Amino acid sequence: MSALLLAVGLLVAAFVGYNIGGSTTGPAFGPAVGAGVIGKVVAAALMSVCFSAGALTVGPAVVETLAGDLLRDPSVFTLRSSAAVLLVIGGALFLGNYAGVPTSTSMTAVGAVAALGFAAGELDRAVLSEIVTWWLVAPVVGFWVAAVVGRYWYPRLLAWLALEERQRDRPLVRLVSSGIVPRFRVAGVDGRRELSGSVAVVAVGCLMAYASGTSNIANAVAPLYATGELRLGALILLGSAAVAVGAFTIARRTLQTLGNDVTALPLPAAIVVAVISSAIVVGLSAIGIPASFVIVATMSIVGLGWGRASRQTLSGAARGGSSSLFDPATTARVIAMQNVVPIVATVGAFVLFEFVPVFGV
């Protein structure tokens, strides 16, 4: 029976990793894809490599935290309860990915684990309160910093970067599959500054993907690791491989949402969004807070689009055109789904552990 539960746990952990790849690739590389710097396949490849690097280096410390600090008694994590928690997390994330909206894996995972701890009477409320406080503050900061930049400083940045306010017709770097061995092809660039800007936005995307690996690998493997049945290294490799599969498949929907649907992102805008969101995420990680970088990046994109649209509407320079910078309907759908998914995970996990006898703790 324990072997069967372990196998189920591994499958569900891989399912969570798959959905993490779908949720987090968009916020990391959506700006670069939306700006036409790289294609979706290249974004998935970079996401896979950088996420794995973060998971293997800093990730183990975050796994130890989530597996031990949020619950006063880690023994609450049994094979049955861990598999159930991961199933709830994976199902909730899949809901967001299916809708094409990247959702916070940290909020979803912590919510499910907190529900388990609450049902068992072992939840450390002080730790949870600190995490939630930062989750509320960080997206607001990202939105308003990006909005201020979009409304007041964006034209100056355009002049300083000497980049045209346009999107590329085709990606600067794309994967060509003709022939036996796929190869990368680099299109021409309009000057050295565009090349530098393209490198910058991809580099910051890689930094965000690395940061995602440091925190989000715990969401896929921490409950299973807490049971003591498997070594952490093997679980991290499993989770990273599953994230790569998600990045190459289901992440295409979230890349489309964040790169094109919420707000048009030419290269200068992509750089602004990437710098703001990555700075906030790295800052949170440095003080030991599980960073909800999906929410921060999304709200930075929304803030920049809103700031640019409000500036042009105010000046009358974009009559009939501000909708290309900011889509309120899509934005409302994104924000709603990003709040619904963690709530579904938290409530679902609590109902499961509190009222279903086979999962009672």
Side-chain angles (χ1 to χ4, degrees):
M1 183 64 178
S2 61
L4 177 60
L5 286 173
L6 180 59
V8 171
L10 290 172
L11 287 174
V12 178
F15 180 63
V16 173
Y18 167 79
N19 282 283
I20 289 174
S23 290
T24 58
T25 304
F29 292 102
V33 171
V37 178
I38 58 176
K40 293 177 181 178
V41 174
V42 176
L46 292 173
M47 180 69 192
S48 303
V49 172
C50 297
F51 184 98
S52 298
L56 291 168
T57 53
V58 182
V62 184
V63 173
E64 296 283 356
T65 299
L66 188 58
D69 290 354
L70 194 56
L71 303 186
R72 290 191 294 263
D73 183 8
S75 66
V76 173
F77 285 112
T78 63
L79 282 176
R80 180 181 283 110
S81 65
S82 296
V85 164
L86 290 170
L87 184 60
V88 170
I89 295 170
L93 291 177
F94 183 78
L95 176 66
N97 286 329
Y98 182 78
V101 177
T103 54
S104 172
T105 56
S106 293
M107 292 177 65
T108 304
V110 170
V113 172
L116 169 62
F118 186 78
E122 296 293 342
L123 176 64
D124 191 325
R125 288 177 172 81
V127 173
L128 181 62
S129 297
E130 182 181 4
I131 293 173
V132 171
T133 298
W134 281 108
W135 282 351
L136 295 173
V137 171
V140 174
V141 173
F143 175 89
W144 282 110
V145 171
V148 169
V149 171
R151 183 162 183 171
Y152 298 108
W153 296 341
Y154 194 74
R156 298 181 185 178
L157 288 173
L158 287 177
W160 181 68
L161 292 170
L163 297 176
E164 295 183 17
E165 179 68 357
R166 64 176 179 84
Q167 292 174 281
R168 299 183 60 89
D169 295 330
R170 62 174 54 189
L172 175 65
V173 180
R174 56 194 179 98
L175 189 66
V176 179
S177 58
S178 60
I180 300 176
V181 179
R183 63 188 185 279
F184 290 102
R185 176 172 293 176
V186 181
V189 294
D190 297 333
R192 184 176 300 176
R193 286 200 174 185
E194 182 177 8
L195 177 60
S196 300
S198 300
V199 171
V201 73
V202 173
V204 175
C206 291
L207 175 61
M208 293 179 67
Y210 176 87
S212 174
T214 64
S215 60
N216 284 324
I217 191 63
N219 303 325
V221 305
L224 202 55
Y225 172 67
T227 65
E229 296 288 338
L230 292 169
R231 292 187 177 183
L232 182 55
L235 287 171
I236 288 178
L237 291 176
L238 171 67
S240 298
V243 167
V245 174
F248 278 100
T249 54
I250 199 171
R252 290 177 174 271
R253 295 175 64 90
T254 57
L255 281 168
Q256 175 67 26
T257 298
L258 287 189
N260 299 101
D261 292 349
V262 173
T263 177
L265 283 177
L267 183 56
I271 293 174
V272 171
V273 167
V275 169
I276 291 174
S277 55
S278 62
I280 293 174
V281 169
V282 170
L284 287 175
S285 298
I287 61 175
I289 300 298
S292 179
F293 96 101
V294 166
I295 303 295
V296 174
T298 300
M299 293 308 296
S300 297
I301 291 174
V302 172
L304 182 66
W306 178 81
R308 293 170 61 205
S310 64
R311 174 187 177 87
Q312 293 199 4
T313 300
L314 183 65
S315 65
R319 294 184 180 94
S322 63
S323 61
S324 66
L325 301 179
F326 175 67
D327 186 341
T330 302
T331 298
R333 178 173 64 89
V334 169
I335 295 175
M337 285 299 299
Q338 288 185 337
N339 285 277
V340 166
V341 170
I343 292 173
V344 168
T346 304
V347 174
F350 176 76
V351 171
L352 188 67
F353 294 116
E354 183 72 14
F355 300 107
V356 180
V358 68
F359 293 110
V361 289

